[in-house]
Amino acid sequence: MKRIVILTGAGVSAESGLGTFRDKDGLWTKYDLAEVATPEGFAQNPGLVHDFYNARRANALDAGPNAAHHALVRLEREAQAEVLVVTQNVDDLHERAGTTRLIHMHGCLTGALCASCGHRWPAPRAMSPTDLCPSCGAATTRPDIVWFGEMPYQMDAIYEAVAGADLFVSIGTSGEVYPAAGLVEEARMAGAETLEINLEPTNRPGLFDEVIQGPASEAVPGWVSAYLT
Ligand code: OAD
């Protein structure tokens, strides 16, 4: 059985109305990454960080999966292949579309995490610095999001899947953030074919055997249809 690993980034959810990070008008042009997406920023101003992720959570709850998310579900269900989606996205649109083999390497807005005891529970729509951990009672609750300077989740499982992949597909990610950005090289070293689907060229010459340029909502369903025929 062939094995396909799909890496997704903010571009896959852009047409669901969720902002990307580094595009013109992206989130990192409006917010200081160091203030809202690092453990140090959280220690300094937890209210600001919660406000930022509460807004992201509200946007994600109000959004729905688009044709790209649905096409990846079709791929998982219909391909004669084992498909794993590794997403950098903290929205839950892949699972709401129906993807079942999914790793959220940067965490998810639907989760809460106690910074003191490590307990995890479903996040309420809005979190605040005074929320208490339901397990240990400490007022140190945070979104279950991987911040800069922290280790992404399930890296062992991701590296294992990439090492065994026949095809690696990168969709809607700028390739600026490691370790996610390095997965394509791992896949190439393991002998996988590599494909990039993105609205714009990401200027990573030599890393992808094939590049499809276009909006994810059109390019991903188009590629999946072609793959399945
Ligand atoms: P970026 O904002 O860095 O990149 C988004 C990519 O999506 C760009 O390459 C765009 O060209 C592409 N894009 C935009 N709209 C698209 C569309 N409609 N169809 C296809 N492609 C489109 O977002 P990521 O690469 O996901 O991490 O960023 C990686 C990580 O950086 C995020 O997970 C987040 C961020 O800081 C953390 O917060 C830890």
Side-chain angles (χ1 to χ4, degrees), residues 69-87:
H69 300 99
H70 291 300
L72 294 179
V73 179
R74 182 176 174 219
L75 183 74
E76 182 185 314
R77 290 185 184 157
E78 296 180 25
Q80 303 296 316
E82 195 178 86
V83 178
L84 173 69
V85 176
V86 176
T87 188

Side-chain angles (χ1 to χ4, degrees), residues 123-148:
R125 190 174 174 105
M127 296 176 70
S128 97
T130 53
D131 291 347
L132 303 181
C133 169
S135 178
C136 75
T140 53
T141 68
R142 54 170 281 183
D144 193 3
I145 303 283
V146 176
W147 287 324
F148 288 90

Side-chain angles (χ1 to χ4, degrees), residues 3-24:
R3 284 181 281 190
I4 305 175
V5 175
I6 314 263
L7 174 70
T8 64
V12 85
S13 295
E15 289 159 271
S16 293
L18 303 181
T20 61
F21 294 97
R22 294 175 183 77
D23 292 314
K24 190 170 81 63

Side-chain angles (χ1 to χ4, degrees), residues 5 28 56-57 60 62 88 90-91 107 114 149 156-157 160 164 173 194:
V5 175
W28 295 152
R56 308 276 77 71
R57 189 178 301 107
D62 292 344
Q88 300 167 85
V90 295
D91 65 60
C114 176
D156 287 349
E160 192 182 323
T173 176
T194 56

Side-chain angles (χ1 to χ4, degrees), residues 33 36-43 49 53 90 105-108 113-116 120 140 142-155 177-180:
L33 181 160
V36 299
T38 61
E40 295 77 15
F42 186 63
V49 175
Y53 286 102
V90 295
M105 66 183 294
H106 290 165
C108 193
L113 167 68
C114 176
S116 299
R120 288 188 161 83
T140 53
R142 54 170 281 183
D144 193 3
I145 303 283
V146 176
W147 287 324
F148 288 90
E150 297 182 321
M151 181 57 80
Y153 295 149
Q154 298 190 56
M155 286 312 298
V177 175
Y178 285 81

Side-chain angles (χ1 to χ4, degrees), residues 1-6 71-84 165-169 171 193-195 197 210 212 218-229:
M1 175 101 86
K2 287 221 174 215
R3 284 181 281 190
I4 305 175
V5 175
I6 314 263
L72 294 179
V73 179
R74 182 176 174 219
L75 183 74
E76 182 185 314
R77 290 185 184 157
E78 296 180 25
Q80 303 296 316
E82 195 178 86
V83 178
L84 173 69
D166 300 290
L167 173 61
F168 177 89
V169 187
I171 305 176
E193 274 181 57
T194 56
L195 164 68
I197 302 178
E210 193 189 345
I212 299 174
E218 292 170 20
V220 179
W223 168 68
V224 169
S225 289
Y227 182 88
L228 291 174
T229 51

